[in-house]
Amino acid sequence: MLRFRLAHRYLVLLILFAFALGIWAPISRAVVPEDLTEGERRMVADHFSLMLAAERTREILEELDDQVTGLEEEIRQLEDRVRAAEETYLEVRSKTAIALRWIHRMGTTSYLEVLLGSASLREILRKAEVARAAARGALASLDEVRGEKRALDHLRGEIAELRAELEDVRARRDEVAVAAEELGESRERMVESFGDEWPDLEAELTLLMAMWEEDAEPYLRALSERFARIAERGVVPENVTVETSLFSVRATVPEASLTALLAEEPGLEDTEFRFVPGEARLIDSRHRLSIRGDLEIDRFGVVTYRVSSVEFAGMPVEDRSILDAIARLELDLGPALGGMRPQGLTVGAGELELVLSFFS
């Protein structure tokens, strides 16, 4: 009976423990950049930039490594050919030296001396032929030596060119490898700064890399073009409130009305304007993007959104090419103004306020 009660008690404790896990597990979640302080987000953004740089240079680094391996193998093969050519050159030069020494011993012996010094016609012919053959052999050997020397010099020249190319490739590889080295150093700092939270945060950044390259970056680079298409359509925002006075009109445009204009453009369905006093924000929650900037309007009713900062998953984006691509975004409110001239624009809480004049 006692054993049964103990087993029953352990079973109850196990059920309670499992129930507690079921309650608390959904509450705990991985750390994401948006949860961090501003300083921490900037630190993580720098590391994220290094992750992107290292990933983008990985294929280049592999290609350069292959080039280095190929050049080293080509140089090795040429060096083997040089060693074989040197052996041939030394052998040919030795034969030439023997022929030349034989001719030197003959001195200035002429055909007449050969004739007078011979006992018979057979000997004359034999000695004359030997002399001619020796001369021909010496000349042929000299030509062969020159040819082998030229081939050897050519091979050495090829090796010198390949060595220079190899040094250039190695230098480029070292430059590219800097990103990976800096990433390793940055990771050590991240581990030191975030401790046990870093593995979850690093896993989140790895997922964000794919999101950035496949969705967020293309979205940002196409944003100016999409705004331009909205402006070309000349669509009038709805729910505009108008207050008139003697010489001017005050028009209030809700942020929801401008968001509705964005929703009609393919690719901006999840993008929305949010206005706070003095600042306009462009939010796309699907891409985890937040853009901040100022709004101004010209005399023709074209609203220009001047971007001041961009954040991706809470991390500041500092890629100059992207910031330049979205520096000016424009919407044309001219068709909604009925020919009146804008005199000013103020960003308020959740709305824009335009002051319009009947006179230009």
Side-chain angles (χ1 to χ4, degrees):
M1 180 64 71
L2 180 59
R3 290 181 180 176
F4 177 76
R5 288 179 179 175
L6 288 175
H8 181 70
R9 181 179 300 172
Y10 288 139
L11 180 60
V12 171
L13 290 176
L14 182 61
I15 293 173
L16 290 174
F17 180 70
F19 181 71
L21 282 179
I23 293 176
W24 292 105
I27 296 176
S28 61
R29 62 186 180 89
V31 179
V32 294
E34 289 95 333
D35 296 336
L36 305 176
T37 65
E38 182 178 353
E40 289 173 335
R41 283 188 283 115
R42 187 165 294 279
M43 186 190 310
V44 170
D46 291 340
H47 183 80
F48 184 70
S49 297
L50 289 174
M51 291 176 68
L52 291 173
E55 178 62 23
R56 288 169 179 172
T57 57
R58 182 178 56 81
E59 293 183 3
I60 300 174
L61 194 59
E62 291 175 355
E63 181 181 344
L64 291 175
D65 283 337
D66 291 342
Q67 289 184 28
V68 167
T69 301
L71 287 170
E72 289 175 340
E73 177 61 21
E74 195 171 351
I75 289 172
R76 187 190 65 75
Q77 293 177 0
L78 284 176
E79 287 175 339
D80 290 342
R81 290 174 58 187
V82 164
R83 281 191 289 271
E86 285 175 340
E87 293 176 0
T88 303
Y89 170 71
L90 292 175
E91 182 180 349
V92 170
R93 193 176 67 176
S94 176
K95 291 179 181 179
T96 303
I98 292 173
L100 290 176
R101 281 198 298 272
W102 190 88
I103 293 174
H104 179 70
R105 283 199 301 272
M106 293 290 292
T108 57
T109 301
S110 65
Y111 286 110
L112 180 60
E113 290 173 321
V114 171
L115 178 63
L116 295 176
S118 301
S120 65
L121 179 59
R122 182 186 296 276
E123 189 176 355
I124 290 173
L125 294 175
R126 183 180 65 78
K127 288 184 176 181
E129 180 59 31
V130 169
R132 285 196 298 271
R136 286 196 302 270
L139 291 174
S141 296
L142 283 173
D143 287 340
E144 190 175 357
V145 168
R146 293 191 188 99
E148 293 296 333
K149 182 67 167 60
R150 285 194 296 270
L152 191 57
D153 290 342
H154 178 71
L155 288 174
R156 286 171 175 162
E158 283 190 42
I159 289 177
E161 291 176 1
L162 287 175
R163 287 192 183 281
E165 184 179 353
L166 178 60
E167 289 305 312
D168 288 342
V169 174
R170 281 175 173 166
R172 287 195 339 238
R173 183 183 63 179
D174 291 342
E175 291 176 0
V176 172
V178 168
E181 294 173 2
E182 291 180 346
L183 178 61
E185 295 172 358
S186 176
R187 188 177 185 280
E188 292 178 1
R189 293 193 295 270
M190 295 296 103
V191 171
E192 183 178 348
S193 298
F194 292 98
D196 294 339
E197 292 182 342
W198 174 245
D200 288 341
L201 188 54
E202 186 176 34
E204 175 71 10
L205 293 179
T206 302
L207 294 175
L208 288 174
M209 282 180 60
M211 179 184 290
W212 172 260
E213 294 179 340
E214 296 172 8
D215 299 314
E217 183 178 3
Y219 168 93
L220 289 172
R221 294 193 182 279
L223 195 56
S224 181
E225 181 181 347
R226 287 168 173 163
F227 264 70
R229 285 200 294 266
I230 295 173
E232 289 173 0
R233 291 203 303 267
V235 183
V236 178
E238 298 179 351
N239 302 319
V240 177
T241 304
V242 176
E243 296 180 8
T244 60
S245 63
L246 185 59
F247 299 107
S248 65
V249 172
R250 192 177 300 274
T252 302
V253 184
E255 61 184 23
S257 297
L258 294 182
T259 295
L261 296 183
L262 300 181
E264 296 176 4
E265 174 64 27
L268 299 182
E269 298 89 349
D270 299 303
T271 304
E272 58 180 325
F273 272 114
R274 293 180 188 171
F275 298 145
V276 297
E279 183 181 75
R281 298 175 184 174
L282 200 61
I283 306 296
D284 193 296
S285 55
R286 185 168 73 88
H287 296 103
R288 296 174 70 172
L289 287 167
S290 175
I291 303 173
R292 298 185 177 189
D294 301 320
L295 289 175
E296 59 184 40
I297 193 168
D298 66 13
R299 58 192 299 267
F300 301 105
V302 176
V303 176
T304 300
Y305 183 39
R306 298 187 182 278
V307 174
S308 58
S309 66
V310 181
E311 289 185 354
F312 170 62
M315 299 180 293
V317 176
E318 297 181 349
D319 187 326
R320 179 46 55 187
S321 65
I322 292 177
L323 296 179
D324 289 343
I326 61 173
R328 287 173 58 94
L329 304 174
E330 294 182 343
L331 283 174
D332 189 1
L333 297 183
L337 304 183
M340 292 180 288
R341 295 298 185 185
Q343 301 298 313
L345 179 152
T346 303
V347 179
E351 61 186 19
L352 294 182
E353 186 177 273
L354 303 177
V355 177
L356 310 173
S357 173
F358 294 106
F359 308 99
S360 58

